[in-house]
Amino acid sequence: MREPVDLRRQRILAAVQARGTARVRDLADELQVSVVTVRRDVEELTREGRLSRGHGVVRSTLPARETVADAVPAAGDRVAVVVPVRHSYLTETLHGARTVLERAGLRMALHLAPQASGAERPLVERALADGADGLLIAPRWRGRADEEADHEWLAGVGVPTVLMERRPWRGSALHGLDSVCSDHWYGAHLAVEHLVGLGHRRMVFATRHDSPTARSLRAAFTEIAGAHPLVERWAWALVAPEAGVDGPYSADETAELPALMRGTGATAMVLHGDVDALMVVQRLAAEGVRVPQDCSVVAYDDVVAGLASPPLTAVSPPKAEVGHAAAELLLQRLAEAPGSRQPGRRVELLPRLMVRGSTDRPADRLGEPLDE
């Protein structure tokens, strides 16, 4: 699935602003696109005044970055941040973390993990060898086996570490590690209550299943819809066939979403994440299903949901605030005296619902008063 241009340019901005400077060729490798594509994006971002260009090098135009970089030693006194490559959701999280770290006079060294199991470990080891004093990390963890393989070494990295948007299972080696997450159960609750309040009684929930967030959302939707007295029928499916790694799945769980919608009589969908939601809306339009007249749609992530036509109502996790809180928690750990470590902390922040043009009352209830 081709990544939207706006999303790719956001990731270029995040990478350059986190480092201060970056080579065009390195950006192309990290984003897994051509050098020509990156140059074209950089030219546009330069015209907008958001980046500046040199010979094969891109620079941030944020003056604060240069001031802090000059004040920080070339080695040590820095925090390694490890996140998956091609993960636009975490762009705002990186900005939030960077703001806090720079205010404290610490450099943020960004490492992008390739799309492969175990890719984070060598990056962390390299960062520690380079003198990193602390670690903020969001491992990819496409499946339970990936997560379990990381528990032992990640629990023993030897420097203060905070997980971002990752919640290890109870009793695991990482259970006591600091973490800052969005409360995705509450996000699912907001979506369901919004649709029920509009009068929808049959719904389809479609998520990826190749990330901890996706698995949390499936569990949340299953619990909330299954217990809700006003939800008459619901179904869960993969948002796209390639979005699952933990199978096998039932026929309904891998069904084409327009067909599943018709089969369940659903008048509303909740889709994770934004790009997949946009693709599904386009697929519905090709089959003559109008949004929101025939089907209300709620996206989950709110990275580019507002750019759709119509703009998508979306659950918006507090992405920047997660990075902000994770960095602040890490700073507290770095300030502790050796041997005086405080109890581990698990911080949860609540998402918000951004109501836009993709949700409305179902056609058979138009004109009825909204539920109280």
Side-chain angles (χ1 to χ4, degrees), residues 17-74:
Q17 290 174 358
R19 305 170 196 174
T21 64
R23 294 195 311 166
V24 170
R25 185 169 297 280
D26 291 341
L27 291 170
D29 290 341
E30 291 169 5
L31 273 62
Q32 298 183 352
V33 296
S34 70
V35 171
V36 173
T37 296
V38 173
R39 283 176 181 157
R40 188 182 303 121
D41 289 339
V42 167
E43 287 175 2
E44 180 59 32
L45 292 169
T46 299
R47 277 195 292 270
E48 295 173 1
R50 304 167 82 183
L51 293 177
S52 63
R53 271 191 311 156
H55 293 293
V57 176
V58 188
R59 295 182 177 84
S60 171
T61 57
L62 295 179
R65 177 67 190 180
E66 296 178 1
T67 302
V68 173
D70 291 342
V72 178

Side-chain angles (χ1 to χ4, degrees), residues 3 7-8 11-12 14-15 19 25-33 38 81-91 94 110-117 119-120 123 137-142 166 210-211:
E3 183 180 35
L7 234 61
R8 187 177 63 244
R11 295 199 296 119
I12 290 173
R19 305 170 196 174
R25 185 169 297 280
D26 291 341
L27 291 170
D29 290 341
E30 291 169 5
L31 273 62
Q32 298 183 352
V33 296
V38 173
V81 181
V82 180
V83 297
V85 71
R86 305 189 70 137
H87 203 308
S88 58
Y89 176 93
L90 291 169
T91 300
L94 293 175
L110 178 64
H111 302 268
L112 300 177
Q115 298 184 32
S117 298
E120 289 83 7
L123 295 178
I137 185 169
R140 185 176 300 276
W141 287 349
R142 298 184 70 234
R166 299 294 182 260
D210 57 0
S211 76

Side-chain angles (χ1 to χ4, degrees), residues 32 53 63 135 141 160 162 229 267 296 306 313 316 329:
Q32 298 183 352
R53 271 191 311 156
L135 174 65
W141 287 349
V162 180
T267 58
S296 284
T313 293
S316 183
L329 179 52

Side-chain angles (χ1 to χ4, degrees), residues 36-372:
V36 173
T37 296
V38 173
R39 283 176 181 157
R40 188 182 303 121
D41 289 339
V42 167
E43 287 175 2
E44 180 59 32
L45 292 169
T46 299
R47 277 195 292 270
E48 295 173 1
R50 304 167 82 183
L51 293 177
S52 63
R53 271 191 311 156
H55 293 293
V57 176
V58 188
R59 295 182 177 84
S60 171
T61 57
L62 295 179
R65 177 67 190 180
E66 296 178 1
T67 302
V68 173
D70 291 342
V72 178
D77 264 352
R78 63 179 174 182
V79 170
V81 181
V82 180
V83 297
V85 71
R86 305 189 70 137
H87 203 308
S88 58
Y89 176 93
L90 291 169
T91 300
E92 293 179 50
T93 304
L94 293 175
H95 286 317
R98 175 175 172 246
T99 300
V100 173
L101 295 174
E102 288 190 343
R103 190 187 305 136
L106 296 182
R107 288 187 299 135
M108 185 177 92
L110 178 64
H111 302 268
L112 300 177
Q115 298 184 32
S117 298
E120 289 83 7
R121 183 171 185 175
L123 295 178
V124 171
E125 291 174 346
R126 186 185 314 157
L128 295 177
D130 288 342
D133 298 310
L135 174 65
L136 298 175
I137 185 169
R140 185 176 300 276
W141 287 349
R142 298 184 70 234
R144 178 76 177 246
D146 287 348
E147 180 177 347
E148 189 170 3
D150 282 346
H151 280 188
E152 198 70 33
W153 71 265
L154 189 52
V157 294
V159 299
T161 300
V162 180
L163 291 169
M164 299 185 298
E165 289 292 20
R166 299 294 182 260
R167 188 178 290 101
W169 65 78
R170 293 176 180 177
S172 69
L174 295 183
H175 192 183
L177 202 64
D178 292 331
S179 64
V180 179
C181 303
S182 301
D183 185 344
H184 295 302
W185 186 95
Y186 184 72
H189 164 78
L190 289 176
V192 173
E193 288 299 330
H194 173 64
L195 293 171
V196 167
L198 290 173
H200 296 278
R201 299 295 180 258
R202 298 189 175 199
M203 307 173 192
V204 168
F205 307 109
T207 71
R208 306 191 67 84
H209 209 236
D210 57 0
S211 76
T213 297
R215 291 186 287 278
S216 294
L217 284 175
R218 178 181 183 177
F221 285 129
T222 298
E223 176 187 341
I224 294 167
H228 204 295
L230 296 180
V231 176
E232 297 173 359
R233 189 174 179 185
W234 64 275
W236 174 85
L238 289 172
V239 74
E242 68 274 12
V245 295
D246 290 336
Y249 301 99
S250 69
D252 280 350
E253 290 172 345
T254 56
E256 288 291 328
L257 293 179
L260 184 59
M261 186 189 79
R262 290 190 293 269
T264 58
T267 58
M269 288 188 181
V270 184
L271 305 166
H272 172 242
D274 285 6
V275 173
D276 287 322
L278 266 63
M279 298 298 290
V280 170
V281 169
Q282 292 175 16
R283 199 184 320 162
L284 291 172
E287 299 197 15
V289 179
R290 301 168 300 167
V291 174
Q293 295 91 334
D294 303 319
C295 179
S296 284
V297 172
V298 178
Y300 198 103
D301 275 356
D302 200 29
V303 177
V304 293
L307 302 178
S309 180
L312 300 183
T313 293
V315 176
S316 183
K319 299 175 280 293
E321 289 81 0
V322 166
H324 192 281
E328 287 191 330
L329 179 52
L330 185 63
L331 290 178
Q332 293 174 23
R333 294 303 189 198
L334 291 169
E336 290 176 359
S340 63
R341 178 174 171 80
Q342 300 299 308
R345 300 179 188 177
R346 308 185 88 177
V347 179
E348 284 195 330
L349 303 178
L350 300 182
R352 297 181 301 162
L353 181 72
M354 310 302 292
V355 179
R356 302 189 179 102
S358 66
T359 52
D360 201 350
R361 284 169 289 175
D364 61 355
R365 300 194 65 176
L366 290 177
E368 294 183 17
L370 294 178
D371 295 340
E372 294 294 333

